[in-house]
Amino acid sequence: LPGNPPVQTKKALKQRFLKLLPCCRPKSIPSLSESKTVLASATLSSPGFLADSVEDEFELSTVCHRPEGLEQLQEQTKFTRKELQVLYRGFKNECPSGIVNEENFKQIYSQFFPQGDSSTYATFLFNAFDTDHDGSVSFEDFVSGLSTILRGTIDDRLNWAFNLYDLNKDGCITKEEMLDIMKSIYDMMGKYTYPAMREEAPREHVENFFQ
């Protein structure tokens, strides 16, 4: 479109982009099982701030990473106290140390896509959650990303998706980068799907997106 498109046109374009991006879906309230399925990364947990019993306090005293206070996480995300507690209690069982590295992330992610190879996409996703690039993802990192994906504005979700697709973080997404992402998604879905996926499907998806 020439010039500056009207606001409604911009919004429509953003909505179309979101539909083309597998990582961006409409807002919803995440149950524990839904958050595991959406991100297939029920791996991130931490101690202390959500403990409701003496047993919890004892268990949490042995972990390596303590998350920020519950009130602070409520301010930083769009989750309620109860939702944070549900997410935390599920994830601490997967990662008692409170942080997860890339290899553990990939192992847990693979449990949700046994029919395919999810390792490459899990690496891309891990890097998107590891915002400080220290090689690990904490509970704070996880709920921050999840909040953006599920509760963020269109701009919030597009920015998050852009960071995921911009593999070399140079501020641009090339066809090659998007093709790498799309291939990893099709690999994750597996070859034995119905209807069967065609080999050229990832490239066609990329071409449609750039069109």
Side-chain angles (χ1 to χ4, degrees):
L1 296 175
N4 293 322
V7 174
Q8 289 300 320
T9 303
K10 288 182 178 179
K11 184 174 182 180
L13 286 172
K14 289 178 179 179
Q15 292 286 8
R16 287 181 62 192
F17 278 134
L18 287 173
K19 290 179 180 178
L20 284 168
L21 295 172
C23 60
C24 293
R25 292 293 181 249
K27 301 176 184 178
S28 61
I29 299 175
S31 67
L32 181 57
S33 60
E34 287 171 341
S35 63
K36 285 182 176 182
T37 302
V38 169
L39 298 171
S41 53
T43 58
L44 318 170
S45 61
S46 303
F49 76 121
L50 297 177
D52 286 337
S53 68
V54 174
E55 290 79 6
D56 280 340
E57 291 287 3
F58 177 77
E59 174 189 352
L60 298 178
S61 67
T62 65
V63 301
C64 302
H65 173 79
R66 288 188 175 277
E68 297 172 0
L70 179 58
E71 291 74 18
Q72 188 172 348
L73 280 179
Q74 281 184 269
E75 292 177 1
Q76 295 173 349
T77 68
K78 296 183 180 182
F79 292 130
T80 65
R81 179 186 183 91
K82 183 62 177 178
E83 288 170 338
L84 287 169
Q85 288 176 324
V86 170
L87 290 170
Y88 166 75
R89 289 185 177 281
F91 297 147
K92 77 173 183 178
N93 291 331
E94 300 287 348
C95 187
S97 68
I99 57 175
V100 61
N101 61 29
E102 182 179 335
E103 286 306 311
N104 289 338
F105 189 93
K106 288 161 67 174
Q107 289 173 7
I108 296 176
Y109 202 101
S110 66
Q111 297 174 20
F112 299 94
F113 297 93
Q115 74 278 16
D117 180 2
S118 63
S119 59
T120 302
Y121 185 74
T123 294
F124 296 149
L125 192 61
F126 179 87
N127 291 335
F129 277 98
D130 182 16
T131 54
D132 56 4
H133 309 296
D134 65 353
S136 64
V137 173
S138 66
F139 182 70
E140 297 95 316
D141 295 331
F142 178 73
V143 294
S144 175
L146 189 63
S147 175
T148 299
I149 294 168
L150 295 179
R151 304 281 172 80
T153 64
I154 291 177
D155 282 337
D156 290 337
R157 288 181 282 151
L158 283 171
N159 285 331
W160 196 93
F162 187 96
N163 179 59
L164 172 65
Y165 281 72
D166 182 15
L167 299 180
N168 63 2
K169 311 305 178 191
D170 67 348
C172 298
I173 299 174
T174 65
K175 282 188 177 182
E176 289 73 22
E177 286 176 316
M178 184 166 285
L179 184 59
D180 286 343
I181 293 281
M182 292 311 305
K183 284 181 176 178
S184 72
I185 292 173
Y186 277 80
D187 287 343
M188 178 173 62
M189 297 304 295
K191 296 181 179 180
Y192 304 104
T193 59
Y194 183 84
M197 296 182 185
R198 296 173 296 111
E199 275 190 37
E200 61 271 24
R203 188 172 296 278
E204 289 177 357
H205 190 117
V206 172
E207 291 296 333
N208 288 336
F209 187 94
F210 273 81
Q211 287 291 335

